[in-house]
């Protein structure tokens, strides 16, 4: 804890991310956190060891202001604690965070913590491929029933929740990837709150959070991130985060994390922590760039669609975007009239943007979802979720937008 703790209720998130949760006095005065690579921690006395274990096992609770002594780095370590304290102010409504060694580790731990045998999970489609696989290839064989509903169909999701027996989890990804279809988070959390089983509402907020969309303020219980994307922002590490309003929920996730052994390692925690103060700077620049490029490409003769929130035509989608997103974000998709052949020609000709999966980094990346990230989907699922042969997804970085636009225009011009 730092000496400025008394100010933290009053300062804004962009300040708090730099001031709370790190005490230079605990790191020989260094202005930025050190890396603590130790796997084990020395106790002040045998009594202190006994107390630390009693706390870790939940037999006793810490006194107000007391922090449990560190024991062993699979349980927690200083860089995880610093990161978990410093990330909280970035997610409005959150009281605590838990960090994991990938986004999938955060999602898997949340599922295994709140799923019950013979329970049901209601979820939007399409979801991230790894998450879909986790539901179909792991949860369902273990007796958890999955109920998919098309993203954006708010009435359909509410109805699915109402009809779900033993409903333990409601899981949303909004906007959906790569079609940007938005689901009304608040309508879903209201439907979940009316269900007698009070399912845990989880939102994968990787695409627009933490800068532009705040699910906890809309009634969600748990926000999940692939920190591999915008949070870390340089396409050079893999990490995951869970945040909640209810501190006990995060405590429970941490106790599962001890069993699963999937805490984020000290070096990665240190790296990610250093990226937090620039998350909103990067996301703002990336969103402004994406908007300029997407709007400029709109109506191009080779494209049947440019899919981006400021270009939505559906009244319901426009309503949701205006209600729950502060900015449109860094991702857009373009659909080629010439199908897969034209899409591949475009990918072959882009020079600044690189042909790679993943997103959220400071460099612009572009990929063909149908043959890569979404190739695990059935023909029916692909058609239902609008992943066509000609669709290309673009994650816009912080380059000068005029150079990106020129790059895309020359790649479009190269299509026969
Ligand atoms: C990348 C991603 C994940 C998985 O995260 P990893 O860090 O790769 O494990 C989950 N959800 C979404 C929306 C993602 O983009």
């Amino acid at each position: 804890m730092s000496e400025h703790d008394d100010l933290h209720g009053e300062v804004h998130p962009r300040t708090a991310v730099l001031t709370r949760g790190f005490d230079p006095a605990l790191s020989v005065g260094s202005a930025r956190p050190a890396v603590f690579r130790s796997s084990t921690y020395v106790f002040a006395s045998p009594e202190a060891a006994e107390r630390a274990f009693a706390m870790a096992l939940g037999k006793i609770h810490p006194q107000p202001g007391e922090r449990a002594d560190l024991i062993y780095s699979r349980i927690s370590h200083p860089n995880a604690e610093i990161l978990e304290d410093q990330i909280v102010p970035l997610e409005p409504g959150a009281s605590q965070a838990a960090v994991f060694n990938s986004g999938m580790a955060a999602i898997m731990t949340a599922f295994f913590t709140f799923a019950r045998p013979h329970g049901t999970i209601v979820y939007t489609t399409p979801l991230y491929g790894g998450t879909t696989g986790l539901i179909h290839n792991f949860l369902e064989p273990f007796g958890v029933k999955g109920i998919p509903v098309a993203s954006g169909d708010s009435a359909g999701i509410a109805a699915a929740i109402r009809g779900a027996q033993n409903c333990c989890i409601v899981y949303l990804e909004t906007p959906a990837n790569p079609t940007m279809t938005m689901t009304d988070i608040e309508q879903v959390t209201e439907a979940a709150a009316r269900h007698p089983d009070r399912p845990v509402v989880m939102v994968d907020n990787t695409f627009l959070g933490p800068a532009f969309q705040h699910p906890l303020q809309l009634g969600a219980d748990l926000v999940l991130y692939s920190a591999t994307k915008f949070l870390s922002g340089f396409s050079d590490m893999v990490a995951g985060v869970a945040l909640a309003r209810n501190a006990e929920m995060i405590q429970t996730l941490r106790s599962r994390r001890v069993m699963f052994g999937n805490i984020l390692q000290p070096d990665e925690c240190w790296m990610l922590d250093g990226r937090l103060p620039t998350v909103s700077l990067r996301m703002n620049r990336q969103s402004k760039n994406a908007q300029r490029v997407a709007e400029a490409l709109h109506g191009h003769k080779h494209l049947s669609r440019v899919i981006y929130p400021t270009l939505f035509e559906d009244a319901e989608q426009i309503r949701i975007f205006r209600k729950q997103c502060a900015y449109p974000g860094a991702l857009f998709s373009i659909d080629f009239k010439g199908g897969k052949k034209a899409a591949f020609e475009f990918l072959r000709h882009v020079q600044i943007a690189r042909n790679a999966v993943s997103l959220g980094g400071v460099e612009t990346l572009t990929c063909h979802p149908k043959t890569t990230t979404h190739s695990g989907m059935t023909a029916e699922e692909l058609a239902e979720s609008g992943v066509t042969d000609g669709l290309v997804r673009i994650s816009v970085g912080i380059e000068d937008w005029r150079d990106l636009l020129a790059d895309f225009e020359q790649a479009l011009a190269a299509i026969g």
Side-chain angles (χ1 to χ4, degrees), residues 22 25 46 48 52 57-58 79 99 157 197 281 330 339 362 379 383 416:
F22 169 61
L57 295 173
N79 292 100
V99 293
I157 295 167
D197 299 334
L281 293 177
V362 292

Side-chain angles (χ1 to χ4, degrees), residues 16-32:
V17 74
L18 281 156
T19 56
R20 73 171 259 172
F22 169 61
D23 181 359
L26 295 175
S27 300
V28 296
S30 66
R32 291 293 299 166

Side-chain angles (χ1 to χ4, degrees), residues 32-362:
R32 291 293 299 166
V35 187
F36 296 88
R37 289 212 186 87
S38 191
S39 59
T40 191
Y41 285 84
V42 178
F43 301 110
S45 66
E47 289 77 15
E50 186 177 24
R51 185 169 174 79
F53 270 80
M55 253 185 238
L57 295 173
K59 291 181 189 165
I60 57 170
H61 294 286
Q63 299 292 313
E66 181 186 9
R67 187 137 211 174
D69 281 347
L70 292 164
I71 297 173
Y72 181 68
S73 292
R74 176 162 43 74
I75 304 172
S76 196
H77 53 76
N79 292 100
E81 292 196 339
I82 292 166
L83 172 58
E84 287 170 352
D85 280 347
Q86 299 207 306
I87 201 169
V88 165
L90 291 183
E91 188 67 47
S95 73
Q96 294 227 16
V99 293
F100 296 87
N101 58 16
S102 69
M104 281 314 300
I107 294 165
M108 171 274 251
T109 304
F111 280 0
F112 288 8
T113 301
F114 296 105
R116 290 189 297 266
H118 314 297
T120 53
I121 165 172
V122 176
Y123 64 95
T124 54
T125 55
L127 287 183
Y128 180 71
T131 311
T132 311
L134 187 60
I135 293 172
H136 291 326
N137 305 326
F138 210 98
L139 285 186
E140 289 180 338
F142 265 72
V144 178
K145 185 177 170 201
I147 303 179
V149 187
S151 44
D153 180 6
S154 304
I157 295 167
I161 294 170
R162 260 198 313 280
Q165 302 272 322
N166 198 6
C167 187
C168 43
I169 298 171
V170 174
Y171 190 90
L172 309 180
E173 207 175 290
T174 178
N177 171 21
T179 54
M180 306 304 292
T181 309
M182 295 194 176
T183 301
D184 187 327
I185 297 171
E186 196 169 33
Q187 278 184 15
V188 173
T189 61
E190 283 167 4
R194 283 193 294 269
H195 195 288
D197 299 334
R198 296 302 303 269
V200 178
V201 180
M202 306 178 184
V203 178
D204 181 334
N205 206 30
T206 300
F207 270 40
L208 283 180
F212 304 147
Q213 181 170 272
H214 312 310
L216 298 176
Q217 291 192 322
L218 301 170
D221 299 300
L222 197 62
V223 167
L224 298 161
Y225 284 102
S226 169
T228 312
K229 316 292 166 57
F230 292 98
L231 280 171
S232 67
F234 288 80
S235 305
D236 59 1
M237 64 179 298
V238 174
V241 185
L243 296 118
R245 198 177 325 101
N246 180 340
E248 248 173 68
M249 202 171 258
I250 296 296
Q251 284 304 337
T252 312
L253 289 178
R254 288 198 189 119
S255 70
R256 297 299 185 279
R257 187 180 66 184
V258 175
M259 299 176 200
F260 300 158
N262 57 6
I263 192 170
L264 189 62
Q265 297 277 327
D267 290 280
E268 278 74 22
C269 286
W270 178 86
M271 277 174 73
L272 180 53
D273 187 65
R275 307 284 171 78
L276 297 184
T278 59
V279 173
S280 76
L281 293 177
R282 286 184 271 109
M283 289 189 76
N284 273 298
R285 168 56 57 201
Q286 289 172 264
S287 178
K288 288 197 172 108
N289 277 356
Q291 183 168 351
R292 284 181 158 141
V293 176
E295 290 177 359
L297 293 179
H298 181 61
H300 190 283
K301 66 174 192 235
H302 284 322
L303 303 176
S304 58
R305 298 184 291 168
V306 176
I307 308 172
Y308 190 67
T310 60
L311 301 170
F312 282 168
E313 282 169 4
D314 179 81
E316 171 71 353
Q317 287 294 302
I318 293 170
R319 181 192 69 78
I320 300 173
F321 167 56
R322 289 200 179 137
K323 173 184 171 192
Q324 77 186 21
C325 313
Y327 286 95
L331 286 143
F332 71 93
S333 292
I334 50 183
D335 205 348
F336 285 85
K337 289 177 186 163
K340 179 178 168 184
K341 187 168 171 293
F344 274 31
E345 278 306 305
F346 173 80
L347 291 174
R348 240 189 292 284
H349 282 95
V350 285
Q351 291 169 3
I352 295 172
R354 300 191 191 276
N355 179 203
V357 299
S358 199
L359 55 106
V362 292

